[in-house]
Amino acid sequence: MPSPKFWPGGFLSHSNCYKVQLENSFSLWSFTVCSSGHPPNGSLWCQAGMGCLGTQRAPRAFLLLPLLLYVARRSNLTQLQSGSKKKKVTKAERLKLLQEEEERRLKEEEEARLKYEKEEMERLEIQRIEKEKWNRLEAKDLERRNEELEELYLLERCFPEAEKLKQETRMLSQLIEKLKFILLETPPCDLQDKNIIQYQESILQLQELLHLKFNVATEILLRIVNMESPCVTQAGLKLLDSNSLSSLTSQSTGITCQASTLADLDSGNMEKVIKDENVTLYVWANLKKNPRHRSVRFSETQIGFEIPRILATSDIAVRLLHTHYDHVSALHPVSTPSKEHTSSVTELVKDDVENVEKAISKEVEEESKQQEKQSHLIQEEKLKVEEEQDDIEVKMSSAEEESEAIKCELEMKVLSETVSAAQLLLVENSSEKPDFFENDMVDLFQFTTLGGVYHLDILELPPQCKPVKGWMIVEILKEGLQKYTYPPETTEDFETENAFPPIEVTLEVHENVIFFENPMVVRWDAEGKHWRTDGISNVSYKPNERLITFSLDTFGPVTLIQDAHINMPYQSWELRPLDVNKVLLTVTTVFTEIQIQIKENLCMLSSVKLKDKKHISVLEGTWMTPIPFIIALKEAGLNIFPTRYSHFYVVINNKARMNLSKFNVVPLVEVKAYRQMALLSSTFAFGWSKWNLLCNSTKVVFKVREHLPEECTENPNWALLMFSGDRAQRLKIKEESEAFSEALKEETEFHSTLYHMVRDFASKEAMEKVRSSNCQFVNSVCHMLLSTRLLSYS
């Protein structure tokens, strides 16, 4: 760039001015500093022009700023002053100053260039050192990978051992709950399709039989509204289960009646409430048919109906059968994994077993023949022959033992592969969302029924017993208990359109169920076999009284539903050891904090907090195996267990969504993480990390620390670990850091497993506890982690 040139201008007749022009490769600037004698108040008039555009006027403030900046920078070059008293700078002096300025500029540029080159070399050197260190760590990790994986394989034998124990104790049962548990607890690889169909058909048949027995018991009760049988009194009209219902039905065939009425003294109508642990039956019979008695309230409850006039004058009975469980909803299909991988592995291992057995038996046979030949050649040495025969027997026995050991080992390998496939299925996400064709249909993959099912029925009052000459005669209808159709199919005989208004119903929400939002009321469509939201209006809920009121167009089964994912995603979680083979899992959601204890093969709800207040649940203190425990929590409204469709309804991190890819990488990473966390859970605590959302989708990040009983847990010293399924590393960042980084913590190394990663900073006693953990305990912890999917839904 050429250096600036200055041409001083002469004085004008009307003013004393110096005109200075700056010319460079980009533009031509001219400015005039003028003063007429003594400038008024020191004011300046500036004029500037750029390039070929000529000289143009500009705002004073705009042009004054660059002028002052320029004059300040070049003040040591020249000073332009008005008036004849100031000394004039010569051309030689200006050239000298320009030369000095240029030399200074070149020197500064050279110093800056040298500084940049030095910093760049230092940066490249640091990068080279870090890369060499990284490569050494990777090489070291690869060198010991096989050894670490073999050690992990030995530790993970606890999973097939636990499954083997469950197989030995699992028994076939025809009860509904037992059948459901078998379908849920048995690994899908062990269930054949025909068995699944058979179990589900048995469940449906038992449900139909159970409902039939309820109808029979209700019919018996309505037939004897004007009397009470001693046998019924002795039975207490208890509807405990299908067995007690069968007993009640059989006893009713030999009724010996006495003059004792069940009718209410005030209204003259009959009402009866029968409660049980699993069932509550409310029956009201309209004996008086008084049109003024249209409000039905069962004694000592606020449960009841507001019936229209046409029903108040009809021979009807109203039944509310509240089953505390849902036996109406269609059974969800049992997920069966693709058996290609598992079957191929199983067949491969079975082939290995057969080949080993053949090889060993052939070797034993050849050795036996060889020994027999030798024994024939040296028959004269009887003592020696006997010794050799003893040796043969010992070798054959050891060979058989070796064969049995190898066979057992390979069988365990098959079982291990089966368990791994079942665990992988628990974190599998469906690639397609279930389709629903009508807006009023309830999506049971999004919502869940809570508090059981309320069967609302209007029944025709059956013929009553009549005393005739010391006998009680009753007409038994062949078709049994009949439902009253409301509204009737034809309404031509009725004058007004409002003759069949909706029936107002008030129900009590089950005390053991938690609703975090106002429940929704839905009705069962028997024809379509699904729940619907239409036909229900004017819903109001009183949470303190746990009462819900609504209007129903037609009677039938109704239930209450809640968003199944209301507690997802979780805000945080922690898995902490409590004692030997005992841990505490804490899951914190928007509405609640749930604490679960796990020991051996059992789980227990430790506590539930709602808005910092402890909630008493009937499940607290009850130990159950994992599958029944998970079902019990779901039925109580404490659902923290995602399904294979949950990712369509919950905003989660990309780890679960990656399951939709054809590579299916992340689910395997998730399973490996949970398995190894369970192995370490007896001594190490694990916790949620905010960085798990920001790391690569094929990796997981969580906190870990060794748990010592005597330490203070107020400010625990957590380490951040990142795990990709094949590599574990400790991160340099902390939970409080400002930005995420995968940088390795100083003086740490890579490892192929979490077990070997934590061993680098763990005590010897901690690792001994890990190696002595109970297999059923480890399996239960793993199952709970797989069921909650903390790494994907937090």
Side-chain angles (χ1 to χ4, degrees):
M1 179 184 297
S3 60
K5 298 179 181 179
F6 294 86
W7 294 270
F11 288 98
L12 299 179
S13 59
H14 61 276
S15 63
N16 297 329
C17 303
Y18 282 107
K19 180 179 289 184
V20 181
Q21 290 185 333
L22 173 65
E23 182 182 6
N24 55 32
S25 60
F26 298 103
S27 61
L28 178 66
W29 285 82
S30 67
F31 54 90
T32 306
V33 183
C34 304
S35 68
S36 300
H38 299 284
N41 300 325
S43 60
L44 297 175
W45 288 266
C46 303
Q47 190 176 34
M50 185 173 182
C52 62
L53 297 178
T55 304
Q56 297 180 353
R57 293 284 181 178
R60 181 186 306 172
F62 174 78
L63 295 174
L64 185 58
L65 180 59
L67 175 61
L68 293 176
L69 292 174
Y70 180 82
V71 172
R73 179 171 177 82
R74 302 295 182 177
S75 60
N76 57 350
L77 176 65
T78 181
Q79 294 182 351
L80 303 178
Q81 298 178 350
S82 63
S84 58
K85 296 181 180 181
K86 299 296 181 180
K87 183 179 178 180
K88 183 178 180 181
V89 179
T90 64
K91 183 177 181 180
E93 291 175 338
R94 286 197 300 272
L95 293 174
K96 183 179 179 181
L97 290 174
L98 285 172
Q99 185 178 2
E100 291 177 353
E101 180 67 17
E102 182 68 13
E103 291 176 354
R104 184 162 45 253
R105 183 183 65 80
L106 294 175
K107 183 179 180 181
E108 291 176 354
E109 290 180 354
E110 180 66 15
E111 290 177 351
R113 184 184 64 81
L114 294 175
K115 182 180 180 182
Y116 172 77
E117 291 179 353
K118 182 180 179 181
E119 291 176 350
E120 184 67 13
M121 291 178 63
E122 291 176 351
R123 186 186 66 82
L124 292 175
E125 180 65 15
I126 293 174
Q127 189 176 4
R128 183 188 65 81
I129 294 174
E130 289 294 328
K131 187 175 181 180
E132 290 181 354
K133 179 181 177 182
W134 189 273
N135 291 337
R136 287 196 302 270
L137 291 174
E138 284 187 333
K140 190 174 183 179
D141 178 40
L142 291 174
E143 182 180 352
R144 63 191 175 198
R145 178 180 294 272
N146 292 336
E147 181 182 349
E148 291 183 350
L149 292 178
E150 288 177 2
E151 188 172 359
L152 178 65
Y153 173 75
L154 294 176
L155 292 172
E156 289 186 339
R157 286 177 63 93
C158 62
F159 295 111
E161 288 175 358
E163 180 61 28
K164 193 173 181 180
L165 290 175
K166 288 197 293 185
Q167 287 180 354
E168 292 174 354
T169 57
R170 191 181 297 129
M171 298 175 63
L172 184 63
S173 173
Q174 292 300 310
L175 297 177
I176 294 178
E177 295 302 318
K178 291 294 184 181
L179 286 172
K180 288 182 178 179
F181 292 157
I182 289 175
L183 287 174
L184 291 171
E185 192 169 19
T186 305
C189 302
D190 289 350
L191 281 176
Q192 297 182 3
D193 293 339
K194 63 178 183 179
N195 290 339
I196 295 176
I197 296 174
Q198 179 185 355
Y199 292 162
Q200 291 183 341
E201 288 178 351
S202 298
I203 291 173
L204 294 175
Q205 290 173 2
L206 287 172
Q207 290 175 350
E208 293 175 0
L209 178 62
L210 187 63
H211 200 69
L212 176 62
K213 289 182 177 293
F214 281 125
N215 285 340
V216 172
T218 304
E219 183 181 2
I220 295 171
L221 187 63
L222 290 176
R223 270 202 256 112
I224 59 173
V225 293
N226 289 324
M227 64 210 142
E228 190 171 65
S229 159
C231 64
V232 176
T233 304
Q234 294 172 4
L237 294 177
K238 291 184 177 180
L239 303 178
L240 296 177
D241 49 29
S242 59
N243 293 329
S244 59
L245 283 171
S246 178
S247 175
L248 176 59
T249 305
S250 62
Q251 291 177 19
S252 63
T253 57
I255 291 179
T256 305
C257 298
Q258 293 180 349
S260 175
T261 182
L262 296 178
D264 181 70
L265 296 178
D266 296 329
S267 64
N269 296 322
M270 179 275 248
E271 71 169 49
K272 189 67 179 178
V273 179
I274 304 171
K275 292 185 177 181
D276 171 62
E277 181 182 357
N278 299 315
V279 176
T280 305
L281 178 65
Y282 305 84
V283 179
W284 176 82
N286 189 18
L287 302 179
K288 294 298 183 181
K289 293 179 280 297
N290 189 339
R292 293 180 299 175
H293 291 163
R294 297 166 57 182
S295 180
V296 179
R297 288 292 180 272
F298 291 97
S299 59
E300 300 181 359
T301 72
Q302 299 188 52
I303 298 174
F305 315 92
E306 294 292 333
I307 59 176
R309 180 182 180 87
I310 187 172
L311 292 181
T313 58
S314 302
D315 286 328
I316 63 163
V318 178
R319 179 182 67 180
L320 167 58
L321 174 62
H322 180 201
T323 58
H324 303 170
Y325 47 85
D326 180 8
H327 60 283
V328 176
S329 299
L331 295 174
H332 285 183
V334 177
S335 301
T336 55
S338 175
K339 299 183 180 180
E340 296 178 0
H341 173 70
T342 305
S343 61
S344 61
V345 172
T346 304
E347 293 299 327
L348 179 61
V349 174
K350 288 182 177 179
D351 292 341
D352 291 342
V353 173
E354 294 177 358
N355 293 335
V356 170
E357 289 179 344
K358 291 179 180 179
I360 293 176
S361 61
K362 184 177 181 181
E363 181 181 350
V364 172
E365 184 179 355
E366 291 178 355
E367 186 175 356
S368 177
K369 290 180 179 179
Q370 184 67 24
Q371 293 294 338
E372 288 178 0
K373 291 179 181 179
Q374 293 178 1
S375 63
H376 287 300
L377 294 175
I378 54 173
Q379 291 181 359
E380 65 278 4
E381 301 177 2
K382 293 182 179 181
L383 183 60
K384 189 175 181 180
V385 170
E386 292 177 358
E387 293 177 356
E388 290 178 352
Q389 287 177 347
D390 292 339
D391 293 339
I392 292 173
E393 292 177 359
V394 171
K395 290 181 179 180
M396 291 180 65
S397 176
S398 61
E400 291 175 357
E401 291 177 358
E402 183 180 358
S403 174
E404 187 66 26
I406 294 175
K407 182 180 179 181
C408 181
E409 177 66 24
L410 293 176
E411 287 177 352
M412 290 296 291
K413 186 177 181 181
V414 172
L415 186 57
S416 178
E417 292 292 336
T418 302
V419 172
S420 297
Q423 291 174 341
L424 190 60
L425 186 64
L426 288 176
V427 298
E428 181 186 38
N429 290 332
S430 175
S431 59
E432 297 181 359
K433 186 177 180 180
D435 293 328
F436 292 90
F437 302 99
E438 299 181 27
N439 294 330
D440 294 329
M441 290 174 58
V442 177
D443 181 1
L444 287 182
F445 294 106
Q446 181 180 6
F447 296 94
T448 182
T449 63
L450 290 178
V453 178
Y454 302 84
H455 297 265
L456 302 172
D457 295 304
I458 305 177
L459 307 171
E460 294 182 0
L461 201 62
Q464 300 297 297
C465 295
K466 298 179 181 179
V468 177
K469 297 181 180 181
W471 291 84
M472 297 302 299
I473 300 177
V474 62
E475 180 183 359
I476 305 298
L477 300 178
K478 184 184 295 184
E479 58 272 15
L481 196 64
Q482 296 296 304
K483 289 187 177 182
Y484 183 90
T485 305
Y486 179 87
E489 297 178 356
T490 58
T491 59
E492 296 178 356
D493 298 336
F494 298 92
E495 298 179 357
T496 63
E497 296 181 357
N498 297 325
F500 306 100
I503 301 173
E504 184 180 289
V505 182
T506 300
L507 301 178
E508 189 177 55
V509 178
H510 198 285
E511 59 183 356
N512 297 331
V513 176
I514 300 176
F515 281 95
F516 298 100
E517 294 178 346
N518 289 352
M520 299 171 57
V521 185
V522 294
R523 65 178 182 85
W524 179 250
D525 182 1
E527 184 177 352
K529 301 296 181 183
H530 53 253
W531 295 103
R532 301 182 63 90
T533 58
D534 56 344
I536 299 171
S537 58
N538 303 326
V539 180
S540 65
Y541 179 57
K542 298 179 181 179
N544 294 332
E545 294 85 358
R546 302 182 67 84
L547 294 176
I548 188 165
T549 302
F550 55 92
S551 296
L552 192 63
D553 291 346
T554 58
F555 267 24
V558 299
T559 190
L560 308 179
I561 63 173
Q562 180 175 254
D563 185 357
H565 309 93
I566 195 169
N567 287 312
M568 304 175 201
Y570 322 126
Q571 291 187 325
S572 64
W573 59 270
E574 181 178 305
L575 182 67
R576 177 168 55 89
L578 292 178
D579 203 346
V580 179
N581 295 321
K582 188 176 183 180
V583 297
L584 178 68
L585 174 62
T586 302
V587 179
T588 304
T589 73
V590 175
F591 297 98
T592 183
E593 178 188 277
I594 302 173
Q595 292 189 333
I596 301 170
Q597 289 190 27
I598 308 171
K599 69 174 183 180
E600 297 178 357
N601 64 329
L602 300 173
C603 303
M604 180 194 72
L605 181 63
S606 180
S607 71
V608 178
K609 293 181 181 178
L610 303 177
K611 297 180 180 180
D612 298 328
K613 295 181 180 179
K614 184 173 175 58
H615 173 80
I616 304 300
S617 173
V618 293
L619 298 177
E620 293 183 28
T622 303
W623 290 96
M624 292 179 277
T625 54
I627 296 295
F629 176 75
I630 291 173
I631 293 176
L633 254 62
K634 286 183 177 181
E635 292 178 347
L638 302 173
N639 186 13
I640 52 172
F641 308 100
T643 67
R644 61 196 307 261
Y645 299 100
S646 293
H647 61 283
F648 291 115
Y649 309 103
V650 183
V651 178
I652 56 177
N653 62 50
N654 53 5
K655 293 171 179 53
R657 295 193 181 276
M658 279 291 294
N659 190 15
L660 304 182
S661 67
K662 63 180 180 180
F663 300 104
N664 220 24
V665 175
V666 170
L668 186 58
V669 174
E670 201 172 353
V671 170
K672 287 184 176 181
Y674 295 145
R675 285 167 65 100
Q676 296 182 38
M677 288 166 65
L679 285 171
L680 298 165
S681 61
S682 60
T683 308
F684 292 89
F686 296 89
W688 169 85
S689 171
K690 65 180 181 181
W691 302 121
N692 188 44
L693 286 170
L694 300 178
C695 70
N696 187 283
S697 59
T698 59
K699 301 171 184 176
V700 292
V701 175
F702 45 84
K703 298 184 296 185
V704 63
R705 66 183 177 90
E706 181 180 343
H707 180 75
L708 300 175
E710 65 275 6
E711 71 178 352
C712 178
T713 58
E714 293 182 359
N715 297 308
N717 185 21
W718 292 99
L720 277 177
L721 295 188
M722 185 170 70
F723 183 58
S724 65
D726 296 323
R727 172 178 292 175
Q729 68 184 74
R730 187 171 179 180
L731 298 179
K732 183 178 180 179
I733 59 171
K734 297 183 178 180
E735 193 68 17
E736 301 79 20
S737 299
E738 296 182 356
F740 177 73
S741 172
E742 294 188 5
L744 195 66
K745 184 176 176 60
E746 297 85 351
E747 300 180 358
T748 62
E749 299 178 352
F750 297 132
H751 284 280
S752 300
T753 72
L754 293 176
Y755 172 82
H756 296 90
M757 184 72 253
V758 300
R759 192 173 65 176
D760 284 353
F761 56 85
S763 64
K764 183 178 179 181
E765 294 77 14
M767 302 314 295
E768 289 179 355
K769 287 183 179 180
V770 169
R771 287 188 289 269
S772 61
S773 298
N774 179 274
C775 66
Q776 289 184 311
F777 160 76
V778 174
N779 187 68
S780 297
V781 174
C782 183
H783 187 89
M784 195 57 60
L785 294 176
L786 289 165
S787 300
T788 53
R789 299 192 63 185
L790 302 173
L791 295 174
S792 287
Y793 283 83
S794 295

